[in-house]
Amino acid sequence: MPYPPTPRRSPVAEADARRAIALVVGALATVAFVALRLAVALNGHTALDVDVWWDAAMAAIATPVGVILAWVPAIVGGTIGMIVIGVATTIVFALRRRPWDALTVAASIALVVAIGAPMAAIIARQRPADSLAETMATSFPSGHTAVATTIAVVLGLILRRRWVWITGAVWVVLMMWSRTYLHAHWLSDVVAGALEGVAVSTFVWALIQVVRERRAQRLAVTGS
């Protein structure tokens, strides 16, 4: 007697092999951020030697045209600009029926701001005296750089395209240069912002991947 056919189940989502790498990178970025934060604290929250050197180097090459160019990423990557970019990216993924990717973008940006903004206010590190932009004592870490890095890494992980990674890396470096060229931040501020962005984006992406995969596995078992 022939056996009845086995019911077909929904395919089980395989674990993304990049998740382990993302977690390692996120952990290393976190350790580096803590080490840099400690160095700044031990220095009395004043500029490190490398900060003073870099600030002087930016002042030495400053030109009116350079200042105008530096303001472009500063404005685009500002609070309003990043909100617009974040919301637009989230909406695009949602409209393309990629809710997990939309959630990853939204959660990453929200978390990096929720961590960075209060931290900068609590640390209250003074910006360079010759700042051409903000003057409030909220220099460490750089919020512009943190958000720029978060978006770059998250989109790179989601879209898996080399050109996305390259474009993102260029954008982050440009943002770091812009913030120091305008003397809005010390070099250690923008490095800290980049490390914060890497840590937050990789951890959020990895966590959502785990939730996504486990939900797919449950659906496969129940046959839903």
Side-chain angles (χ1 to χ4, degrees):
M1 178 180 295
Y3 293 99
T6 303
R8 296 183 60 185
R9 292 182 176 180
S10 302
V12 178
E14 296 183 358
D16 194 324
R18 300 174 303 157
R19 192 168 68 225
I21 298 176
L23 290 174
V24 171
V25 171
L28 292 175
T30 301
V31 171
F33 178 91
V34 172
L36 184 55
R37 169 70 184 95
L38 181 60
V40 170
L42 292 176
N43 201 55
H45 293 138
T46 59
L48 304 174
D49 290 342
V50 67
D51 293 329
V52 175
W53 169 78
W54 185 261
D55 189 66
M58 292 297 99
I61 63 173
T63 64
V65 174
V67 171
I68 293 174
L69 294 176
W71 269 108
V72 175
I75 294 174
V76 174
T79 302
I80 297 178
M82 285 295 93
I83 290 176
V84 171
I85 293 174
V87 171
T89 305
T90 301
I91 292 175
V92 168
F93 280 128
L95 291 177
R96 293 180 65 85
R97 298 182 180 181
R98 298 175 64 168
W100 291 105
D101 295 336
L103 176 61
T104 302
V105 172
S108 297
I109 295 177
L111 183 59
V112 79
V113 172
I115 293 175
M119 184 186 302
I122 293 172
I123 294 174
R125 190 187 196 191
Q126 293 291 338
R127 299 175 188 271
D130 51 351
S131 175
L132 301 177
E134 296 87 343
T135 57
M136 294 179 61
T138 53
S139 187
F140 185 98
S142 167
H144 282 68
T145 307
V147 176
T149 305
T150 299
I151 292 178
V153 174
V154 164
L155 291 182
L157 289 169
I158 291 175
L159 299 178
R160 306 188 187 194
R161 295 289 186 272
R162 181 176 298 178
W163 69 266
V164 176
W165 283 107
I166 294 175
T167 302
V170 170
W171 172 244
V172 171
V173 171
L174 183 62
M175 183 64 74
M176 296 173 73
W177 165 80
S178 166
R179 302 307 287 162
T180 55
Y181 192 85
L182 295 174
H183 308 287
H185 285 283
W186 301 108
L187 179 61
S188 55
D189 297 334
V190 295
V191 172
L195 292 172
E196 179 197 354
V198 169
V200 169
S201 56
T202 50
F203 284 144
V204 170
W205 176 82
L207 175 61
I208 291 180
Q209 283 297 112
V210 171
V211 175
R212 181 180 186 177
E213 291 161 8
R214 289 183 178 179
R215 182 175 184 277
Q217 290 170 357
R218 287 197 302 270
L219 292 176
V221 171
T222 59
S224 302

